[in-house]
């Protein structure tokens, strides 16, 4: 009785810690403490799971020791692997890591459903149906996230498409549903075993088939959608297992993932159906590039222009993360501010390779939050700004997205850097961005390229401003 009370209390505390942790993650100031808090929640849940062992009768305990040993081995392997990956992963490889971790969540929910079906845990028709729905969503999230990981990691470069694919996918989904229904109807009988196995196979295959045709540029939205799926699947399995902590954690992840999916789709000006069922993101190679020549300047010339400007807006992008030049950038910015220049940072919601990528980079360098502006808050200011400094950004400042209907990024809102009086762009050469299209802004009259790795260019710019002395 006492153990039961402790287990229940631990679940409640864990749920509270998850909710508090997620709330704290919504601001860069408290995000780190939010992650740590949610981690403590996990410790409570895992501890309570092991305490449950004392709830079973002493005779039954020896039979459970194999399960306990397996759980300990799984925990050790999981902690060692994720601990090592978390420490060593490059910032630019975070999206694929998020995708694979998310897939593990979906796989776990599907495994819980399988165990629940095998151990007669599901006691009523409602329980069984919820188990099957959770399993379906968990399987889709598991295999879908693995494909998303392969695409983001560059292992699968092209979307896989074939004629009649949508009909094939719809048929596969209906087959999975029918097999699930059959599993529920024949549950507990020997005839129910085969449909059950086929149901899991069809659901796993559907996750793969659903993700294969989606273009790389849509992967941010897809990952957050699968994140929502995983949360939902975990929540449903929590209901089946009668585990409130699992239910609450699943619901929190599910609703946060749903909100993030809606925000990401809005940031790219795309509806979810458009993301899932259209061919966005692979027409880049056929798109015709802009004509004309790019002008270029030395880092010192660009730095001098900014030193004598009265306002500068900085647009960071993926290249800044690749170069790990955020510290150098802030050193440069502090010098401009000390000389009386009004400096602001403009953040596009899908700049970089994961939601909040640029905010994390700038926070890492210690840039104060009041210098950082979201797209909607700063877009009108570009027209009245002396200099827009674009660092390793391409797609998020591509005016083609506003005007060229044939462009694969048409419709995506952009940062209006092209409207500034003078635009400087730091990038290594004429490489395209994630979507693979060239940017006409780089050929505009008011735009000057400063070629080179962002870290090297910014170092030279810092030296140039130092050489000018203070105002
Ligand atoms: P981008 O369009 O991918 O462009 C990055 C640019 O950085 C490239 O043109 C590259 O040009 C330059 N670059 C690379 N390494 C550099 C270095 N060391 N120093 C200087 N420049 C460097 O980046 P973005 O403007 O940030 O746009 C993000 C794109 O990623 C969007 O299309 C978005 O949809 C997509 N996406 C976003 C997420 C997300 O959640 N945020 C996730 C997945 C995909 P050079 O080769 O010429 O240097």
């Amino acid at each position: 009785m006492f153990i039961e009370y402790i287990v229940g209390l631990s679940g409640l505390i864990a749920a509270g810690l998850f909710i508090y942790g997620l709330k704290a993650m919504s601001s860069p100031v408290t995000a780190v403490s939010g992650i740590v808090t949610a981690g403590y929640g996990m410790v409570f849940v895992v501890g309570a799971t092991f305490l449950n062992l004392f709830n079973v009768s002493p005779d039954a305990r020896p039979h459970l020791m194999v399960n306990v040993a397996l759980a300990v081995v799984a925990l050790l392997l999981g902690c060692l692997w994720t601990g090592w990956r978390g420490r060593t992963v490059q910032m630019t490889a975070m999206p694929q890591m998020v995708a694979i971790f998310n897939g593990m969540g979906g796989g776990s929910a599907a495994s819980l459903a399988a165990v629940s079906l095998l151990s007669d845990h599901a006691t009523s028709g409602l329980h069984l149906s919820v188990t099957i729905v959770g399993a379906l969503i968990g399987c889709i999230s598991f295999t879908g996230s693995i494909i998303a990981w392969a695409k983001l990691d560059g292992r699968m470069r092209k979307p896989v498409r074939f004629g009649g694919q949508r009909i094939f996918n719809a048929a596969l989904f209906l087959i999975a549903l029918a097999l699930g229904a059959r599993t529920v109807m024949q549950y507990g009988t020997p005839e129910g075993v085969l449909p059950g196995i086929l149901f899991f196979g069809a659901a796993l295959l559907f996750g793969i088939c659903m993700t294969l045709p989606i273009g790389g540029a849509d992967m941010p939205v897809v990952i957050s959608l699968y994140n929502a799926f995983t949360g939902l699947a975990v929540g449903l399995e929590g209901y089946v297992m009668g585990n409130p902590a699992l239910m609450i954690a699943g619901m929190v992840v599910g609703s946060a993932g749903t909100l993030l999916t809606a925000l990401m789709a809005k940031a790219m000006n795309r509806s979810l159906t458009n993301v899932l069922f259209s061919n966005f993101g692979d027409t880049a190679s056929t798109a015709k590039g802009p004509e004309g020549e790019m002008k270029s300047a030395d880092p010192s010339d660009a730095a001098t222009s900014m030193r004598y400007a009265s306002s500068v807006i900085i647009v960071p992008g993926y290249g800044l993360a690749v170069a790990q030049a955020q510290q150098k950038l802030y050193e440069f910015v502090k010098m401009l501010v000390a000389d009386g220049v009004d400096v602001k940072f403009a953040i596009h919601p899908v700049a970089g390779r994961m939601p909040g990528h640029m905010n994390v980079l700038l926070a890492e360098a210690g840039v104060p939050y009041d210098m950082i502006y979201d797209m909607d808050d700063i877009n009108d200011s570009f027209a009245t700004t002396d200099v827009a400094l674009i660092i390793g950004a391409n797609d998020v400042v591509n005016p083609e997205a506003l005007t060229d209907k044939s462009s694969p990024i048409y419709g995506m809102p952009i940062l209006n850097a092209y409207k500034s009086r003078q635009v400087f762009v730091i990038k290594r050469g004429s490489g395209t961005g994630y979507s693979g299209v060239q940017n006409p802004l780089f050929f505009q009259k008011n735009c000057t390229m400063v070629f080179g790795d962002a870290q090297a260019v910014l170092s030279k710019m810092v030296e140039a401003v130092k050489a000018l002395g203070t105002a």
Side-chain angles (χ1 to χ4, degrees), residues 220 318 350-355 392 394-395 427-429 431-434 453-454:
Y318 174 64
V350 297
R353 290 292 182 272
M354 61 178 177
N394 195 336
D395 293 346
K427 68 202 290 287
R428 296 163 308 176
T432 53
Y434 190 81
D453 173 76

Side-chain angles (χ1 to χ4, degrees), residues 81 99-109 142 145-146 230:
W81 182 62
I100 202 79
F101 283 180
N102 183 51
M104 295 299 132
S108 303
F142 176 57
S145 298
I146 291 175
T230 292

